[in-house]
Amino acid sequence: GENVEQHPSTLSVQEGDSAVIKCTYSDSASNYFPWYKQELGKGPQLIIDIRSNVGEKKDQRIAVTLNKTAKHFSLHITETQPEDSAVYFCAAMHPGAGSYQLTFGKGTKLSVIP
Amino acid sequence: DSGVTQTPKHLITATGQRVTLRCSPRSGDLSVYWYQQSLDQGLQFLIQYYNGEERAKGNILERFSAQQFPDLHSELNLSSLELGDSALYFCASSVEITGNTEAFFGQGTRLTVV
């Protein structure tokens, strides 16, 4: 099955700096890569995603890049703000015969220091 | 608000007992997924239903079972509970079973087994 590795597990940055979280996946058939933000006591919230036919996608201060050859994808947050502090999860979707599932990385706890 | 509703929010029960967790998907979503989140394991996929039928199984124990009803709500049944079953249980829903569609999560049920 699919295996998703996520690094780092914790990340502290100063407010205004950039944060980068990296993930690798194992199954070359995976074709959809969402990122979720989870705040304390809440469910994961989809913040951005990228499909395998795209190399980069940007939405305001967040961007995601995908390298299919190397099987890795990254989340970039620029101009970080205290409200960006949360746990971020990457995931990879593996399509199958009439079904699919999302396999998640173990998460990165991002702390933005004011 | 993701539109996915989970009840109850919190559940405390004793070892050996049985509990039922409930999930109402977003309006129009046919797929429901269940995930278990514990501190050391991240988000583990348990099972997926599509329009009432089981479609994919992940790391779900035999003591656990699920179903999706004609109105598309889903229930996750956990029996013979053990201390190690204490975790957050999330439900997510999406429109399609295949293809690159977003999955939206509920707020989760925190299960504590004492």
Side-chain angles (χ1 to χ4, degrees):
Chain A
E2 175 66 278
N3 182 48
V4 178
E5 299 282 341
Q6 182 172 348
H7 299 281
S9 57
T10 60
L11 180 61
S12 290
V13 299
Q14 292 288 331
E15 182 177 358
D17 287 350
S18 295
V20 180
I21 303 170
K22 299 182 178 183
C23 290
T24 60
Y25 61 98
S26 60
D27 193 332
S28 56
S30 290
N31 57 9
Y32 172 62
F33 307 92
W35 286 87
Y36 289 85
K37 175 183 180 182
Q38 187 176 23
E39 297 174 323
L40 200 60
K42 297 186 177 181
Q45 177 191 4
L46 178 69
I47 56 171
I48 195 168
D49 56 19
I50 191 166
R51 307 184 192 285
S52 58
N53 58 345
V54 175
E56 184 174 358
K57 183 176 178 180
K58 191 173 181 180
D59 182 4
Q60 299 184 334
R61 295 186 297 108
I62 59 173
V64 58
T65 59
L66 171 66
N67 183 327
K68 283 198 307 181
T69 303
K71 288 191 272 190
H72 67 69
F73 56 113
S74 301
L75 177 71
H76 304 253
I77 306 175
T78 59
E79 300 172 17
T80 53
Q81 300 168 4
E83 52 265 39
D84 294 329
S85 296
V87 178
Y88 291 81
F89 291 95
C90 63
M93 187 196 80
H94 173 248
S99 69
Y100 74 95
Q101 61 178 275
L102 280 173
T103 300
F104 285 82
K106 294 206 171 187
T108 296
K109 184 176 182 180
L110 174 64
S111 299
V112 179
I113 304 164
Chain B
D1 183 5
S2 67
V4 180
T5 304
Q6 287 187 249
T7 56
K9 286 188 168 51
H10 302 277
L11 198 50
I12 301 175
T13 190
T15 55
Q17 295 299 303
R18 172 189 170 94
V19 297
T20 297
L21 313 184
R22 182 187 170 102
C23 170
S24 294
R26 293 187 318 156
S27 177
D29 285 359
L30 299 178
S31 275
V32 170
Y33 318 85
W34 287 96
Y35 287 84
Q36 180 191 55
Q37 185 178 39
S38 52
L39 278 175
D40 58 347
Q41 293 295 322
L43 281 157
Q44 295 291 317
F45 170 69
L46 295 178
I47 197 164
Q48 176 197 7
Y49 278 83
Y50 176 77
N51 202 21
E53 293 186 7
E54 181 187 303
R55 286 297 186 168
K57 263 187 175 180
N59 301 319
I60 187 166
L61 300 172
E62 287 190 9
R63 301 183 285 109
F64 296 1
S65 65
Q67 52 186 326
Q68 186 180 27
F69 295 87
D71 67 352
L72 301 177
H73 91 271
S74 178
E75 293 181 355
L76 179 67
N77 301 296
L78 315 176
S79 61
S80 303
L81 285 167
E82 302 174 358
L83 296 177
D85 297 328
S86 296
L88 272 166
Y89 290 85
F90 286 104
C91 153
S93 74
S94 70
V95 173
E96 297 179 1
I97 188 171
T98 58
N100 303 326
T101 59
E102 299 89 346
F104 295 90
F105 281 77
Q107 295 295 297
T109 293
R110 180 176 293 280
L111 173 66
T112 303
V113 182
V114 297

